[in-house]
């Protein structure tokens, strides 16, 4: 599989990314490898990408056909099946649920850690939370906030 950045991408994140890219448009492997960069993958292991595509095809989520190329040999073009669309919907829901749990963790972390507002870590986490909330507003579906009690207050130890 193309290497994920070590920034904490979800396990098996390649799978929903490939399904999404193929939902947007049919594509050949090289196009998919290029477009995966937007999700934090690099293309240093193209063999892993093709193994993942073959597995998706074996599961009936993706199909492939050979297409003539205008400038060279035939190339395999991948497309999403109806079963692949259903799987994409399930994975997108799972990712959204996971994102809400991560947001709850980050909220509590900031409260428990009590970092100064100008702290680099605090700014990064608050920026991520604000971006997520803005994205959910734009979609018109405010993500329900989990009922998570506030982190217990700890005395400041100097």
């Amino acid at each position: 599989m193309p290497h994920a950045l070590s920034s904490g991408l979800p396990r098996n994140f390649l799978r929903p990314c490939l399904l999404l890219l193929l939902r947007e448009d049919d594509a050949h492997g090289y196009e998919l490898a290029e477009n995966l960069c937007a999700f934090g993958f690099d293309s240093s292991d193209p063999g892993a990408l093709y193994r993942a595509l073959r597995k998706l095809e074996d599961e009936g989520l993706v199909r492939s056909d050979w297409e003539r190329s205008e400038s060279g040999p035939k190339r395999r073009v991948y497309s999403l099946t109806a079963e692949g669309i259903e799987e994409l919907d399930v994975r997108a829901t799972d990712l959204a649920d996971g994102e809400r749990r991560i947001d709850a963790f980050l909220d509590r972390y900031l409260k428990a850690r009590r970092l100064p507002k100008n702290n680099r870590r605090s700014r990064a986490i608050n920026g991520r939370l604000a971006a997520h909330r803005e994205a959910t507003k734009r979609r018109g579906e405010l993500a329900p906030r989990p009922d998570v009690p506030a982190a217990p207050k700890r005395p400041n130890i100097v």
Side-chain angles (χ1 to χ4, degrees):
M1 146 171 67
H3 298 176
L5 297 175
S6 61
S7 62
L9 291 178
R11 183 174 162 85
N12 298 321
F13 189 50
L14 177 62
R15 183 180 182 98
C17 292
L18 287 171
L19 294 173
L20 176 59
L21 291 172
L22 292 172
R23 177 68 172 149
E24 292 173 347
D25 199 10
D26 297 351
H28 57 82
Y30 182 77
E31 287 174 310
L32 291 168
E34 286 181 336
N35 291 329
L36 283 169
C37 293
F39 298 111
F41 293 95
D42 67 36
S43 56
S44 64
D45 186 6
L49 167 65
Y50 289 101
R51 286 190 298 276
L53 286 167
R54 184 72 58 224
K55 184 173 181 183
L56 290 171
E57 192 168 16
D58 290 345
E59 294 173 9
L61 305 175
V62 168
R63 70 173 169 268
S64 67
D65 295 299
W66 289 100
E67 180 182 88
R68 284 193 172 224
S69 171
E70 295 176 14
S71 61
K74 289 183 178 181
R75 58 187 180 181
R76 190 179 294 263
V77 176
Y78 297 89
S79 57
L80 199 59
T81 64
E83 293 83 5
I85 293 170
E86 290 176 22
E87 176 72 6
L88 173 60
D89 292 344
V90 168
R91 294 297 178 121
T93 301
D94 290 347
L95 286 169
D97 289 342
E99 186 175 34
R100 282 190 288 277
R101 289 189 293 273
I102 290 169
D103 286 347
F105 170 85
L106 293 174
D107 275 339
R108 287 185 71 159
Y109 169 77
L110 287 172
K111 289 173 187 168
R113 190 71 172 89
R114 289 191 246 151
L115 297 169
K117 291 189 187 275
N118 63 351
N119 177 279
R120 181 186 62 82
R121 182 174 287 131
S122 180
R123 286 192 318 266
I125 292 171
N126 277 316
R128 187 243 186 267
L129 291 170
H132 174 250
R133 289 180 184 129
E134 181 61 31
T136 56
K137 284 179 189 175
R138 278 196 312 267
R139 287 194 311 256
E141 53 182 44
L142 279 173
R145 301 284 299 158
D147 294 323
V148 179
K153 291 189 177 187
R154 296 189 181 143
N156 284 336
I157 300 174
V158 181

